[in-house]
Amino acid sequence: MAGITPAERTRLGVSTDASITPEVSGTGAYLFDNDTVEAAEQVRLLAEAFDGHTTAVLENLGVADDWQCLDLGPGAGTISAFLADQLGPAGHVTVIDEKPQHVRPHERITVVTGDIAATDFGRERFDLIHARLLFMHLPQREEVMMRAAAALKPGGTLVVSDCDASHYDEMLTAAPPGVSEAFVAFQGALTGIGVSTGMDPVWARRIPAAMRAAGLGDITTQVFNRLWAGGEAAMLLYACISRQLEDGLLARGVDLAALETLRKATRDPNVWAYSWPMYTGVGVRPAA
């Protein structure tokens, strides 16, 4: 099937010009709630699916043991803990999240409870700032990136990872009859819910340009994706999300039978699908 059509982009409120920030009428409320029953499982599966990619990027930076790090929207806190484990007594990780209850205590982690869109990150405080699957959900994403760039010390590094959610009809590659329709219906409704709360499905591809606009240099980007089989983390994640957002999915026309088909398929090892491709941008604040 072809990728998301211009008509679908218009329906979802997505810009057809990658150089233009889409105008969205979302509420700005985060798509997922850390207080829900499914939240702990969701952030665990996200970590299992994407931590290998993220830690490889961070290891390539050569984290020094005295670095001051900031982790925005940490989810399960696994990357916060990974960074803290690299640090010595002079190093530290600050975590900011509105609902940070899934972050485990660590002697070199300080948890700040707050709205990332409104929290002051300070100026020239951090050697490294990391955010994964956060900016795509923030209507104020460019402004937050500006503040993150300003919070870096000269020579400090910003790492931002987000997924491109615009080609959901190309993800499934092997499935029994009926699964494809349920899968595409679920992904389309999920994307629509996201856009209604301020998510930008195509933001990930603009990360390098946004970093440059924020004054960063030495910008690199890599894209992570792989094929997942039923029973593996990224597939089980879809079932978890389908339970977490069931009411919204039903309201957007996905019937319960389709959701049950999807959930069964995510456990079937004969069902294969790619995840949303994750774009990871790395930018460096120029030295003074």
Side-chain angles (χ1 to χ4, degrees):
M1 286 185 252
I4 186 170
T5 65
E8 183 74 356
R9 288 176 180 272
T10 300
R11 183 180 69 80
L12 294 175
V14 180
S15 171
T16 56
D17 183 346
S19 68
I20 299 174
T21 303
E23 295 293 332
V24 295
S25 57
T27 63
Y30 183 57
L31 179 58
F32 302 105
D33 186 350
N34 274 353
D35 289 337
T36 63
V37 174
E38 295 289 341
E41 178 71 356
Q42 181 201 8
V43 295
R44 183 190 71 80
L45 290 169
L46 283 168
E48 186 175 336
F50 296 114
D51 273 8
H53 163 68
T54 302
T55 56
V57 172
L58 296 174
E59 285 173 344
N60 192 53
L61 298 179
V63 177
D65 62 5
D66 64 346
W67 273 14
Q68 303 302 303
C69 304
L70 175 62
D71 196 11
L72 300 172
T78 51
I79 297 304
S80 309
F82 168 81
L83 288 170
D85 288 342
Q86 313 304 305
L87 302 175
H92 201 76
V93 179
T94 300
V95 166
I96 302 177
D97 201 319
E98 199 165 5
K99 296 180 179 180
Q101 61 263 43
H102 302 298
V103 179
R104 295 182 180 180
H106 191 292
E107 63 180 348
R108 284 186 290 278
I109 294 178
T110 296
V111 176
V112 176
T113 301
D115 179 358
I116 289 169
T119 301
D120 182 9
F121 306 151
R123 296 186 67 83
E124 300 188 4
R125 289 182 55 192
F126 299 103
D127 300 282
L128 171 67
I129 298 177
H130 168 262
R132 185 176 70 190
L133 298 175
L134 170 71
F135 279 80
M136 65 186 292
H137 294 286
L138 298 176
Q140 317 89 334
R141 55 189 65 86
E142 281 85 2
E143 186 270 332
V144 174
M145 183 167 286
M146 288 284 189
R147 290 195 287 111
L152 290 171
K153 298 176 182 178
T157 303
L158 175 64
V159 178
V160 174
S161 297
D162 278 306
C163 286
D164 184 321
S166 62
H167 293 272
Y168 53 79
D169 54 353
E170 297 176 352
M171 297 164 67
L172 196 67
T173 65
V179 172
S180 178
E181 291 80 1
F183 186 89
V184 171
F186 161 74
Q187 293 287 353
L190 173 62
T191 303
I193 294 171
V195 169
S196 74
T197 63
M199 184 188 85
D200 180 356
V202 299
W203 147 259
R205 285 178 271 160
R206 298 203 313 279
I207 291 173
M211 285 184 164
R212 183 173 63 183
L216 302 182
D218 296 329
I219 298 167
T220 60
T221 304
Q222 58 180 279
V223 183
F224 169 77
N225 202 357
R226 54 156 284 192
L227 190 65
W228 301 86
E232 295 182 320
M235 293 292 279
L236 296 175
L237 180 63
Y238 300 138
C240 180
I241 290 172
S242 78
R243 294 187 293 269
Q244 195 171 6
L245 300 180
E246 182 174 297
D247 289 346
L249 294 166
L250 293 174
R252 286 185 171 265
V254 184
D255 61 40
L256 192 57
L259 292 180
E260 291 300 335
T261 296
L262 171 84
R263 291 162 185 166
K264 181 179 178 181
T266 63
R267 300 189 300 270
D268 183 348
N270 295 311
V271 175
W272 300 345
Y274 290 98
S275 54
W276 288 351
M278 176 170 282
Y279 287 66
T280 297
V282 178
V284 179
R285 179 170 180 174

